[in-house]
Amino acid sequence: MSRDAPPVVLKFGGASLGDPTAVGREVDAAASGRTPVVVVASAREGVTDLLADAVAHPRARARHRDVHALLTAMHPELPRASHRHLERLAELFDALERGPTGDAALADRILSVGERLAVGWLAARLTESGRPATPVEADHLGLITDNTYGASCILFDRSRPLVRAGLRRVMARGQVPVVTGYFGRSLEGRVATLGRGGSDYAAAALGALLDARRVELIKRHVAVLSADPTEVPNARPIPELSYEEAEELAQFGARVLHPLTIEPARAYGVVLRVRSLEDPSAVTTITGADPGRRNRALTVLRPLRLLRLRVPGGRQRPGIVAEVAQRLSREGVNLVQLYTSSALLCLVLEPGQVLAGIRALAPVTREAAVMVDGPFRVALVTAIGDGVLADLDRLPRVAVESAEGFSATPRALSLAVPEGRASAVVRALHRALVEEAER
Ligand code: ASP
Ligand code: MG
C-alpha cells in the first residue's frame, strides 16, 4: 500500500455495519493494487435514534439507563479502549439530567457517542479478520466545523492539513483508518454534529480533503432510485447522475443522501458512488454533467402548508416579494417555495412554521390590505434531471390539474399539489417521465 497514492473512501451506513464480513470484503476489493482505503462509519443502526431520544428527554434518568444498556448490548466484544466511551456516556447523561436544558453542544457530545462506539467496534472486527485497522475520531483528527451545533458545516481549509497528516500517519503504519462520520470539532473546540444522516457528508468531505480517487457511500439495501419505492413500486436504480442533479435530489427530500454531501465532491471533483451492499447491480455514479445523458428522478416532500396572499393592486406594489421573503427570513421561517403572479403570492412553508410565518407577515398584510387564505395541506412533487424543462409537454393531466403552484429550472420542475393527491401525481409522473421515456 503506497501512502501517497490517492485513497478510496468507503463509507458504511449503520445498517451495513450489521454485516462486518461484507464490510471486510469491500475493503479488500477496494484495496486491490496499491490503493489505500479509508473507512468512514456511521453509528450502528438505531443507535443515533436512541441517543436523540435520550437527549429529547433530558430529565428521564430511567430512560437514559435503558439506552445505555441497549448500546452496550449492541456493541458486543467492544475493545477495551472503546469502553471509556460507554463510561463517558454515563457521565454525559448525568450532566444532561442535572444541567440546564437546551445545551446544544452537550447534545452533540452525546449524539457523537454512536459513531465512536461504531469505529472501535468495526476496527476490532476488521483487525480480527486479518485487516489491521485503527479507529479514528474525527474531532481528535481535526475535522473542523463551524459552531452551529446540530447542523454544522465542515471548514475545508482549516481541516485539510490536520486530516491529511493524521490519516497518512495511520496509513503509513499499514493500518486502515476507520473514521467516525457525523461530527467534527467546532472552532470553539467542542463536538459538533453535521445533522442527521451527516456521515455521507463527512465521507464526501474526507474524500475531498484527501484528493481521493473516489468516495463510495455503501448502503445496506437501497441505492439511488428514480423514486421512493414505497411510493412508486416501479422505481428503478439510476446508474448515473450529475453533481447538480444529485444535489437537487438531496435538497428535494430524497432521503438517501444528506443535502450537503454533494458540495465537497463537486468542488474538489471527487467521484461519488452510491451503492447497495446487498444488490451489486444497484450503483449510482455521481460525476460532472454529461449532456448526452437523460436521467429523471422524482421526489415528494410532505407535509407542507401553502398560504395564498392576495395583494390588491399587485404590480403597483414594487418590492412586496422581497419584503415578504425578508420578513420571513428574519423570523427564521424557511420559505420552501414561492410562486408569484401579479396579484397572488403563494408561500409553501413547513407546518410547524405557519404561525410564525403569519405573524412575521402581519405588518405587510395589514399595511397593504393583503388577504391571506389557508393554510392548505400540500406536498411538493419534484421531477429532477438535466434538461427537465423539455418534459413540460409530457406532464400528465392529473399533475397539471392538481397543481397549486409550479416552479421550474432546467434541472428541477416542481409542483405543489394537495397532499391527498401527491401519491397519484408522483406515480403518474413516474409513468410519463421515467417508464414511458424508456420505450
Ligand atoms: N448516525 C447518524 C444518523 O443516524 C449519522 C448518519 O447515519 O449518517 O443520523
Ligand atoms: Mg445512522
Side-chain angles (χ1 to χ4, degrees):
M1 225 197 269
S2 154
R3 66 185 165 124
D4 292 322
V8 168
V9 175
L10 300 181
K11 179 261 171 179
F12 295 93
S16 27
L17 295 183
D19 189 351
T21 313
V23 171
R25 269 200 304 273
E26 294 293 341
V27 170
D28 292 344
S32 66
R34 293 155 35 89
T35 306
V37 174
V38 173
V39 169
V40 177
S42 328
R44 297 206 59 189
E45 193 171 20
V47 167
T48 311
D49 288 339
L50 285 168
L51 292 168
D53 177 78
V55 167
H57 299 89
R59 300 293 188 242
R61 194 176 185 80
R63 205 166 186 143
H64 297 169
R65 276 218 201 97
D66 291 348
V67 169
H68 194 278
L70 270 169
L71 259 56
T72 307
M74 287 166 86
H75 298 86
E77 297 170 73
L78 198 62
R80 256 200 124 67
S82 299
H83 279 286
R84 70 192 150 92
H85 294 309
L86 288 169
E87 286 149 27
R88 198 84 198 96
L89 180 63
E91 291 164 20
L92 292 170
F93 279 155
D94 211 53
L96 183 69
E97 289 150 19
R98 292 159 197 269
T101 54
D103 181 344
L106 175 61
D108 274 5
R109 272 185 85 186
I110 293 173
L111 289 168
S112 75
V113 172
E115 271 68 13
R116 296 188 205 273
L117 292 169
V119 296
W121 181 86
L122 179 61
R125 302 291 82 79
L126 290 173
T127 303
E128 277 163 12
S129 61
R131 304 167 184 96
T134 301
V136 177
E137 291 162 44
D139 51 345
H140 302 159
L141 176 65
L143 188 70
I144 307 299
T145 72
D146 61 20
N147 297 329
T148 318
Y149 299 100
S152 62
C153 287
I154 293 166
L155 303 175
F156 286 80
D157 292 343
R158 290 198 177 235
S159 305
R160 179 171 294 100
L162 302 168
V163 165
R164 290 175 75 104
L167 293 181
R168 281 219 179 114
R169 232 175 353 251
V170 176
M171 291 189 275
R173 296 199 307 262
Q175 300 265 326
V176 175
V178 182
V179 190
T180 52
Y182 189 39
F183 66 89
R185 180 173 87 219
S186 73
L187 287 168
E188 304 171 328
R190 309 187 68 177
V191 181
T193 64
L194 306 166
R196 293 304 307 270
S199 300
D200 287 343
Y201 172 35
L206 289 170
L209 292 168
L210 295 168
D211 301 317
R213 201 178 288 263
R214 62 178 187 278
V215 173
E216 305 211 354
L217 307 174
I218 304 175
K219 316 264 165 184
R220 176 135 196 186
H221 315 286
V222 289
V224 183
L225 300 178
S226 56
D228 178 343
T230 58
E231 200 96 59
V232 180
N234 284 338
R236 52 209 70 197
I238 303 181
E240 290 171 296
L241 285 173
S242 67
Y243 293 122
E244 291 77 11
E245 288 172 326
E247 193 152 46
E248 296 282 358
L249 204 60
Q251 308 273 1
F252 275 110
R255 273 180 300 267
V256 57
L257 291 174
H258 180 282
L260 293 178
T261 304
I262 309 301
E263 185 44 34
R266 188 218 335 241
Y268 295 87
V270 179
V271 174
L272 281 179
R273 208 177 270 172
V274 186
R275 58 195 184 81
S276 153
L277 195 61
E278 285 177 348
D279 176 4
S281 72
V283 184
T284 304
T285 305
I286 304 171
T287 53
D290 170 352
R293 203 159 59 203
R294 182 187 184 282
N295 300 309
R296 293 295 177 263
L298 299 166
T299 65
V300 183
L301 213 55
R302 65 153 88 83
L304 293 169
R305 299 288 182 271
L306 180 116
L307 288 178
R308 269 191 225 122
L309 273 52
R310 283 181 287 138
V311 187
R315 285 180 212 259
Q316 265 76 272
R317 273 196 60 95
I320 182 132
V321 173
E323 195 179 342
V324 164
Q326 271 165 16
R327 284 186 183 277
L328 291 175
S329 94
R330 237 180 280 139
E331 294 305 315
V333 176
N334 175 29
L335 188 51
V336 178
Q337 206 69 282
L338 168 69
Y339 312 111
T340 65
S341 51
S342 138
L344 198 59
L345 293 182
C346 298
L347 316 178
V348 179
L349 306 175
E350 281 148 28
Q353 297 204 308
V354 169
L355 283 180
I358 292 176
R359 237 180 283 125
L361 294 176
V364 216
T365 47
R366 223 179 300 120
E367 185 202 325
V370 171
M371 256 128 10
V372 183
D373 297 330
F376 304 102
R377 307 173 75 92
V378 295
L380 210 60
V381 181
T382 304
I384 291 155
D386 289 332
V388 73
L389 285 182
D391 289 352
L392 274 173
D393 59 353
R394 295 177 189 236
L395 292 187
R397 269 182 96 105
V398 55
V400 178
E401 286 173 358
S402 306
E404 294 280 343
F406 177 89
S407 85
T409 67
R411 206 169 287 137
L413 183 161
S414 97
L415 302 158
V417 299
E419 198 177 83
R421 308 288 289 276
S423 297
V425 169
V426 69
R427 261 180 261 133
L429 278 168
H430 194 268
R431 226 173 294 122
L433 305 189
V434 179
E435 296 162 47
E436 279 164 20
E438 277 172 357
R439 296 199 191 123

